[in-house]
Amino acid sequence: MDKVIAESIKDNQDFKILSQIYDDIETGKVPIRIEKYQLTQNIYKWKDQECSIKEIIDILYLKSWMKKGKGKYILENVKIGENLYSICGDKYFIEDDIVPIFEDVLNDKIQLNEEENIEYRFHLFLVSMPASIVRALTLTMTNKENIRQQKIQRSFQYATDEEQKKIASSFWILWNKNISIPELLSCCFPSLFSPEEIQIIQNKYMEFEKKEDFTIWFDQNYDAILQDYINKEFQGSSLRFNEYIRNELERSGICPLDRKPTEEYEWKVAANVVKKFHNEYQKWEQQIMGDGYMDIHPIFEYEYRKPIFFLQYYCFHKRNWEIFFDMMNGDKLSMDEYNHILSRMKEEGLNKYVQKKYNEYKRITSAVKDIVFVKELNINEVSQSLSRYYRRKKDGKIDYKFDRQYLLDIIEDIISELHSGLDVAGFIYILWRTHFFDHAYFDDKFTSFRDKMTEIFQLSDIPSIKEYTEKKPKTKDKAYKLWDQWDVFQRMIDKTALD
């Protein structure tokens, strides 16, 4: 076993079992069934941090994978069936033409562009919200889903028997990919199998070498029992078995939209699948849109494996925003929760992008609330406030060069990006070192200038600004970094002038 792994858990009584798991991974036994190894606990110390057994297994998978691939991720090494792969213990159904995208992402050959990175950060922002806000978000989603489900029910009602059978079969397969085998059997066939029998079925499937889709395997092996059960339970009933499956699926709230990965590599894969299959994605997106809501039926006209990434991308890229803004416009948040969201968003540096998205949402939906995610300074008001502090030309007239050449860029691009007192101090230090302002108005005191600029640019709510003076090294260092980052500063002043 790997030396680092051994040193990390060598004192644990489960070390021998974990070593066996590592050996099994090395010899190609994937996916690993943890329950077979009879480990005594779920949490272990790993490099002085508490890790779940799943997290440790993920690490072991990655080490083995990289070793076999000579330092590269190679999907073929973890293939466990036709288009079926085990990545870090999770099953993925990956079409052949998507395999190169997976490998490029996992080998760090594909990076997120700026917009994709913000979308990913926004998703992480949502899932990291306090429980009460997450519940409000979920409730908003549920309300929208109810509307969508009413559409599904109406269309299902007018479908032919053959169409209903196809839809129910699709739900059955889709459901299997989102929940465990015991949950699937318990929900779809209540009272048919005992817990012990369900475990036996699961074990038989796990031992099945070919490892085709469980639903196909189950139908082939238990068809007679199922038909007998359906005839007894649903014969003469107004509720058909396929309708029962659909109702249970909707009642449980299980649908592919709930599968929102937090791993960056899954985001990268989804985004790049959409890029590579742009035309196909556009066609798919047009088909799933009806009256502004997601319609689940057209999903089943395609292979499952590619649209799952389309779905992920659609949820991240569009639907997350819609649900979030619906929540912000609703009555499900307290004022404290509302302000917490705005504050955290500013800390994460997302507020400017969210404001842009909200402006689009408001235009399309005619939302009532005028939510301010980022301060939109009035350039005329700021200009008027600054004008009395500008230097004068030789003829005695005020020099408006800063106003005319740089102020708009600063308001549009920079103010919303200042998140800490140090950011603000660095920004104001740059202004202080330019030749645009008359220091005499401030008795040549940087602190007086800093406080006045903080007031004019409406940055007073950012804490700790007064901690940073002209002579503090951190202030100057931050000014250097901001100068390197923003073109407008480079046009305003030479970097040597900051010394």
Side-chain angles (χ1 to χ4, degrees):
M1 194 174 182
D2 185 278
K3 182 179 178 182
V4 175
I5 300 173
E7 289 178 350
S8 299
I9 56 177
K10 62 184 178 183
D11 295 329
N12 192 283
Q13 59 180 318
D14 286 341
F15 171 64
K16 290 183 179 179
I17 300 177
L18 288 167
S19 297
Q20 182 61 52
I21 292 174
Y22 182 75
D23 291 341
D24 287 347
I25 292 172
E26 283 285 87
T27 55
K29 293 183 181 178
V30 291
I32 292 297
R33 308 298 174 192
I34 299 299
E35 62 273 9
K36 289 186 176 182
Y37 291 87
Q38 298 181 336
L39 291 161
T40 61
Q41 58 192 83
N42 293 321
I43 301 295
Y44 296 88
K45 281 286 186 181
W46 181 275
K47 298 183 180 179
D48 297 324
Q49 292 183 345
E50 287 191 348
C51 293
S52 69
I53 184 61
K54 182 183 183 304
E55 289 171 326
I56 292 179
I57 297 303
D58 285 353
I59 294 170
L60 297 178
Y61 270 116
L62 292 176
K63 283 181 173 289
S64 174
W65 197 355
M66 292 181 72
K67 180 179 178 182
K68 290 181 180 180
K70 296 181 180 179
K72 295 181 179 179
Y73 294 101
I74 300 175
L75 278 178
E76 189 65 29
N77 291 337
V78 290
K79 192 170 186 177
I80 56 176
E82 186 66 28
N83 293 111
L84 182 61
Y85 301 84
S86 176
I87 301 177
C88 295
D90 292 327
K91 288 192 298 183
Y92 287 85
F93 293 83
I94 306 175
E95 291 182 347
D96 291 340
D97 49 6
I98 295 179
V99 167
I101 296 176
F102 253 98
E103 291 183 335
D104 283 347
V105 166
L106 290 168
N107 285 303
D108 208 26
K109 292 182 178 179
I110 297 178
Q111 300 300 321
L112 297 175
N113 63 35
E114 183 178 0
E115 184 172 0
E116 291 165 349
N117 184 53
I118 292 175
E119 299 277 357
Y120 175 62
R121 286 168 53 204
F122 178 70
H123 170 64
L124 296 182
F125 167 79
L126 288 184
V127 300
S128 67
M129 285 284 96
S132 61
I133 296 177
V134 172
R135 281 194 295 271
L137 193 68
T138 303
L139 184 58
T140 303
M141 181 187 299
T142 301
N143 290 341
K144 294 186 75 66
E145 285 298 300
N146 287 339
I147 297 173
R148 183 184 65 82
Q149 287 168 10
Q150 289 171 13
K151 286 183 58 190
I152 292 175
Q153 290 167 357
R154 287 197 298 271
S155 59
F156 197 92
Q157 180 181 352
Y158 297 110
T160 65
D161 287 349
E162 190 61 32
E163 288 172 336
Q164 288 190 11
K165 182 178 179 181
K166 180 181 178 182
I167 293 169
S169 173
S170 299
F171 273 122
W172 161 249
I173 293 173
L174 184 62
W175 207 358
N176 170 232
K177 298 182 188 304
N178 284 275
I179 63 176
S180 67
I181 291 174
E183 288 175 318
L184 182 69
L185 296 178
S186 298
C187 288
C188 289
F189 308 105
S191 75
L192 177 57
F193 302 110
S194 68
E196 292 75 18
E197 288 172 326
I198 289 176
Q199 188 60 53
I200 290 173
I201 292 172
Q202 182 173 12
N203 291 342
K204 283 184 178 179
Y205 174 68
M206 295 306 179
E207 294 168 1
F208 183 60
E209 291 182 2
K210 197 173 181 181
K211 284 292 186 301
E212 61 193 11
D213 189 278
F214 172 75
T215 53
I216 298 173
W217 175 87
F218 183 75
D219 287 341
Q220 290 174 345
N221 288 273
Y222 292 87
D223 180 65
I225 296 176
L226 294 183
Q227 288 303 320
D228 184 57
Y229 170 79
I230 292 170
N231 290 336
K232 287 180 180 178
E233 293 291 328
F234 295 91
Q235 188 67 35
S237 170
S238 60
L239 179 68
R240 300 178 182 179
F241 177 63
N242 50 14
E243 290 179 280
Y244 168 78
I245 292 178
R246 175 178 54 81
N247 291 343
E248 283 296 302
L249 178 63
E250 293 177 358
R251 181 188 61 78
S252 302
I254 300 169
C255 91
L257 298 180
D258 294 325
R259 189 182 185 278
K260 298 182 178 182
T262 54
E263 294 293 336
E264 186 176 351
Y265 81 85
E266 289 190 293
W267 172 275
K268 289 181 180 178
V269 169
N272 282 281
V273 167
V274 168
K275 286 179 185 176
K276 180 172 181 179
F277 303 98
H278 176 75
N279 292 336
E280 185 176 337
Y281 172 74
Q282 293 296 319
K283 180 181 177 182
W284 173 87
E285 185 180 16
Q286 290 171 8
Q287 284 189 277
I288 64 170
M289 291 301 293
D291 299 329
Y293 296 102
M294 178 76 78
D295 185 348
I296 203 168
H297 287 164
I299 295 168
F300 306 121
E301 296 176 8
Y302 294 88
E303 288 289 325
Y304 171 78
R305 296 151 189 168
K306 192 178 297 177
I308 192 62
F309 297 113
F310 289 173
L311 275 168
Q312 287 178 7
Y313 191 75
Y314 182 89
C315 290
F316 288 145
H317 204 61
K318 296 183 179 179
R319 208 160 183 274
N320 267 350
W321 296 106
E322 179 186 345
I323 293 168
F324 173 71
F325 292 141
D326 280 357
M327 178 186 73
M328 295 294 284
N329 275 277
D331 57 0
K332 299 176 180 64
L333 296 172
S334 68
M335 187 53 66
D336 285 343
E337 290 169 338
Y338 189 88
N339 289 331
H340 175 82
I341 290 173
L342 296 180
S343 175
R344 272 286 313 282
M345 194 169 286
K346 185 175 182 180
E347 291 174 7
E348 296 290 335
L350 292 167
N351 51 344
K352 184 177 179 181
Y353 190 79
V354 173
Q355 187 71 64
K356 176 183 175 184
K357 285 286 186 180
Y358 184 68
N359 292 343
E360 295 173 4
Y361 167 87
K362 195 170 185 294
R363 177 177 54 81
I364 294 171
T365 63
S366 300
V368 176
K369 286 187 179 179
D370 187 18
I371 303 175
V372 179
F373 293 100
V374 61
K375 290 177 181 175
E376 296 179 326
L377 296 176
N378 184 305
I379 188 169
N380 292 326
E381 291 177 2
V382 174
S383 173
Q384 186 176 357
S385 298
L386 288 173
S387 62
R388 62 174 297 188
Y389 304 112
Y390 290 146
R391 290 184 184 273
R392 293 183 178 271
K393 300 178 182 178
K394 291 180 179 181
D395 60 6
K397 293 182 180 180
I398 296 175
D399 185 351
Y400 283 99
K401 184 177 180 180
F402 175 79
D403 201 71
R404 293 166 181 157
Q405 296 188 15
Y406 310 113
L407 183 58
L408 179 61
D409 288 342
I410 286 173
I411 287 178
E412 288 192 342
D413 298 332
I414 294 173
I415 297 301
S416 63
E417 301 298 319
L418 305 176
H419 307 303
S420 68
L422 183 56
D423 288 344
V424 175
F427 159 64
I428 294 174
Y429 181 85
I430 292 175
L431 300 186
W432 178 250
R433 302 295 290 184
T434 66
H435 62 274
F436 300 118
F437 298 91
D438 189 343
H439 289 192
Y441 280 106
F442 308 96
D443 297 327
D444 286 323
K445 291 181 180 179
F446 170 77
T447 52
S448 298
F449 179 76
R450 177 199 64 198
D451 295 345
K452 178 52 68 175
M453 293 300 111
T454 298
E455 175 189 325
I456 292 174
F457 285 103
Q458 299 181 26
L459 298 166
S460 302
D461 60 332
I462 296 178
S464 306
I465 295 173
K466 292 183 181 296
E467 292 180 12
Y468 300 102
T469 63
E470 180 184 16
K471 294 182 179 179
K472 284 205 171 183
K474 284 186 177 180
T475 303
K476 187 183 294 186
D477 290 344
K478 173 55 70 172
Y480 288 145
K481 290 179 181 178
L482 292 175
W483 190 93
D484 288 334
Q485 182 178 355
W486 297 103
D487 173 73
V488 63
F489 292 145
Q490 295 166 20
R491 290 186 282 116
M492 278 171 48
I493 184 174
D494 189 89
K495 194 171 185 179
T496 57
L498 299 177
D499 295 334

